Amino acid sequence: MQYLKDHEKKMKLAFKSLDKNNDGVIEASEIVQSLQTLGLTISEQQAELILQSIDTDGTMTIDWNEWRDYFLFNPVTDIEEIIRFWKHSTGIDIGDSLTIPDEFTEEEKKSGQWWRQLLAGGIAGAVSRTSTAPLDRLKVMMQVHGSKSGKMNIYGGFRQMVKEGGIRSLWRGNGTNVLKIAPETAVKFWSYEQYKKLLTVEGQKIGIFDRFISGSLAGATAQTIIYPMEVIKTRLAVGKTGQYYGIFDCAKKILKHEGVGAFYKGYIPNLLGIVPYAGIDLAVYELLKSYWLDNYAKDSVNPGVIVLLGCGIVSSTCGQLASYPLALVKTRMQAQAMIEGTKQMNMVGLFRRIISKEGIPGLYRGITPNFMKVLPAVGISYVVYENMKQTLRVTQK
């Protein structure tokens, strides 16, 4: 009886939050409006389908008795349940820094769950990036040297790297890649919260477009601050054995020979890459989410791990495809000074030269090892993230 009383209270609150005009019944327009405030857009037709599944007397509205009878033995009393299952997770790290930050509820912020989730995500990212570092270094080598040899393939690239510096050289540049996770996550999370406040009215839930703009601006802010580490990572990855003795030695040599400006080479294409990556990643994810909810959400709004990871992989792969030419030009610009006899070119000049010498495929050099690392990176980061959440006692509310 106590359970039913508590459960009924929760259901009453959920019913009242949906009944916007307080007339005692829920209509299709109120369902659309409620989901809209949570950042989930559905059509009137979809709302009517939801109504039909609960409405028993054919009035195409839901009164309190219908609502209570339908949800009495159903644990999903909170409409945010859908959002919780479907939010893009911080724990999935594919080595790219352009994704939109995670969304945290007020409760998670107050209870301190947010920093535990970010820490779990950071550790998962470090393990995932370290595990796939050889493929990442190969990608950078193919982006920078691909045009020179014209024949660098995956097997040949690995053989060349091992021959030049031994097995350990496959992880060259990984230290910087892992080190930048903490400052980047912190800056991105903090600036995302600030941009959201600027773009939304107080007390209003953030919509998808505002989330995209806030996330893109937060990504740009984080990239601006940690960008010198990106340049150092590329230089270490492309460098020969003995050329640099670590992160600080590399930074010292760049500063001495090329000046402060060298730490921001390739910054413009990197910044331009944020919008197509984040935009397409978010749009494809929302599309897949809507498709699944429309066609497969029968008994539960929880899609399960495989569907969530699959949607994440597909959306980030589409984002990578769209922004890859800019990423390639960014890497070439970062490494230009290291390649002897190469004229220092700007972004437009490099695009022209790559297209004239190598054609459109030249803009996608190194994309194969990049895609090869997506699956293991997602799998490893997910497993580590889930284990770290248990260790750090992150509760799922």
Side-chain angles (χ1 to χ4, degrees):
M1 279 177 74
Q2 191 57 49
Y3 164 77
L4 288 172
K5 276 180 187 172
D6 291 344
H7 200 55
E8 198 165 309
K9 267 185 212 165
K10 286 181 190 173
M11 287 190 296
K12 192 80 175 169
L13 287 170
F15 182 82
K16 280 184 175 172
S17 74
L18 282 167
D19 182 16
K20 301 288 180 194
N21 58 5
N22 294 319
D23 62 351
V25 290
I26 296 168
E27 293 146 16
S29 60
E30 289 172 326
I31 291 175
V32 172
Q33 198 184 336
S34 296
L35 287 173
Q36 195 109 44
T37 59
L38 292 169
L40 194 70
T41 309
I42 65 163
S43 64
E44 282 275 352
Q45 286 79 14
Q46 288 169 314
E48 279 165 14
L49 284 172
I50 295 170
L51 273 182
Q52 272 174 0
S53 67
I54 304 172
D55 176 34
T56 52
D57 56 10
T59 56
M60 280 310 284
T61 57
I62 306 162
D63 61 27
W64 161 240
N65 291 330
E66 287 170 327
W67 176 267
R68 186 192 54 206
D69 294 348
Y70 184 83
F71 282 112
L72 196 57
F73 298 107
N74 188 329
V76 183
T77 51
D78 187 357
I79 206 161
E80 288 198 17
E81 193 89 340
I82 295 172
I83 311 301
R84 180 174 71 74
F85 283 129
W86 278 98
K87 73 177 181 183
H88 239 333
S89 177
T90 315
I92 310 306
D93 186 291
I94 56 162
D96 276 288
S97 317
L98 307 180
T99 48
I100 283 175
D102 210 345
E103 199 71 47
F104 293 108
T105 62
E106 284 307 313
E107 201 176 322
E108 283 171 330
K109 287 176 198 165
K110 282 174 192 164
S111 65
Q113 290 293 321
W114 66 273
W115 70 260
R116 289 192 182 97
Q117 282 188 45
L118 288 180
L119 180 59
I123 294 166
V127 175
S128 160
R129 289 181 190 197
T130 303
S131 307
T132 57
L135 283 164
D136 193 63
R137 189 180 174 217
L138 177 65
K139 174 194 82 173
V140 173
M141 295 293 276
M142 287 174 84
Q143 284 178 334
V144 175
H145 297 302
S147 56
K148 242 173 66 173
S149 60
K151 290 173 187 169
M152 188 186 272
N153 56 24
I154 290 166
Y155 174 69
F158 274 128
R159 220 173 62 174
Q160 205 176 305
M161 288 192 294
V162 172
K163 193 178 167 187
E164 192 273 327
I167 295 286
R168 273 187 68 187
S169 73
L170 297 176
W171 276 266
R172 211 173 272 166
N174 181 57
T176 321
N177 203 22
V178 168
L179 270 177
K180 70 186 176 76
I181 293 174
E184 186 175 20
T185 306
V187 172
K188 199 190 268 189
F189 176 68
W190 177 82
S191 53
Y192 183 50
E193 292 300 314
Q194 303 312 309
Y195 289 127
K196 278 199 303 183
K197 281 177 194 168
L198 282 173
L199 290 171
T200 52
V201 181
E202 202 175 336
Q204 191 187 323
K205 294 269 183 182
I206 189 163
I208 289 169
F209 182 70
D210 289 333
R211 185 172 172 238
F212 164 60
I213 297 295
S214 304
S216 298
L217 289 170
T221 307
Q223 284 290 301
T224 304
I225 290 167
I226 62 105
Y227 194 76
M229 292 178 89
E230 293 270 1
V231 174
I232 291 167
K233 178 211 152 191
T234 300
R235 293 290 180 95
L236 287 167
V238 177
K240 292 183 170 67
T241 304
Q243 190 171 351
Y244 301 116
Y245 297 104
I247 296 167
F248 293 110
D249 181 58
C250 178
K252 214 161 72 180
K253 282 177 178 168
I254 293 171
L255 192 63
K256 188 181 173 185
H257 300 297
E258 301 167 62
V260 179
F263 288 111
Y264 281 88
K265 279 185 178 170
Y267 175 71
I268 301 295
N270 183 61
L271 215 56
L272 292 174
I274 291 172
V275 175
Y277 183 98
I280 288 167
D281 180 27
L282 195 64
V284 172
Y285 191 79
E286 290 295 324
L287 200 74
L288 294 170
K289 177 175 84 175
S290 300
Y291 181 78
W292 191 90
L293 286 169
D294 282 351
N295 297 284
Y296 300 101
K298 299 282 187 283
D299 304 317
S300 167
V301 290
N302 182 2
V305 174
I306 304 297
V307 174
L308 280 177
L309 292 186
C311 291
I313 289 168
V314 172
S315 65
S316 56
T317 302
C318 292
Q320 281 183 343
L321 265 172
S323 63
Y324 195 83
L326 285 159
L328 180 132
V329 168
K330 171 199 82 173
T331 309
R332 290 257 182 113
M333 286 176 80
Q334 288 173 341
Q336 265 183 138
M338 295 176 75
I339 305 162
E340 288 164 31
T342 306
K343 185 187 162 198
Q344 301 285 300
M345 297 177 89
N346 63 16
M347 182 179 78
V348 178
L350 258 174
F351 264 118
R352 280 187 182 146
R353 191 172 75 179
I354 293 166
I355 290 167
S356 66
K357 286 193 170 184
E358 306 164 53
I360 298 293
L363 294 171
Y364 285 89
R365 282 196 188 279
I367 201 162
T368 309
N370 193 51
F371 282 162
M372 280 170 72
K373 77 184 174 90
V374 169
L375 216 60
V378 167
I380 293 163
S381 62
Y382 178 77
V383 170
V384 176
Y385 181 60
E386 288 303 312
N387 282 301
M388 282 312 302
K389 279 203 305 188
Q390 285 177 0
T391 309
L392 295 165
R393 294 187 176 87
V394 174
T395 55
Q396 282 295 355
K397 255 292 280 155

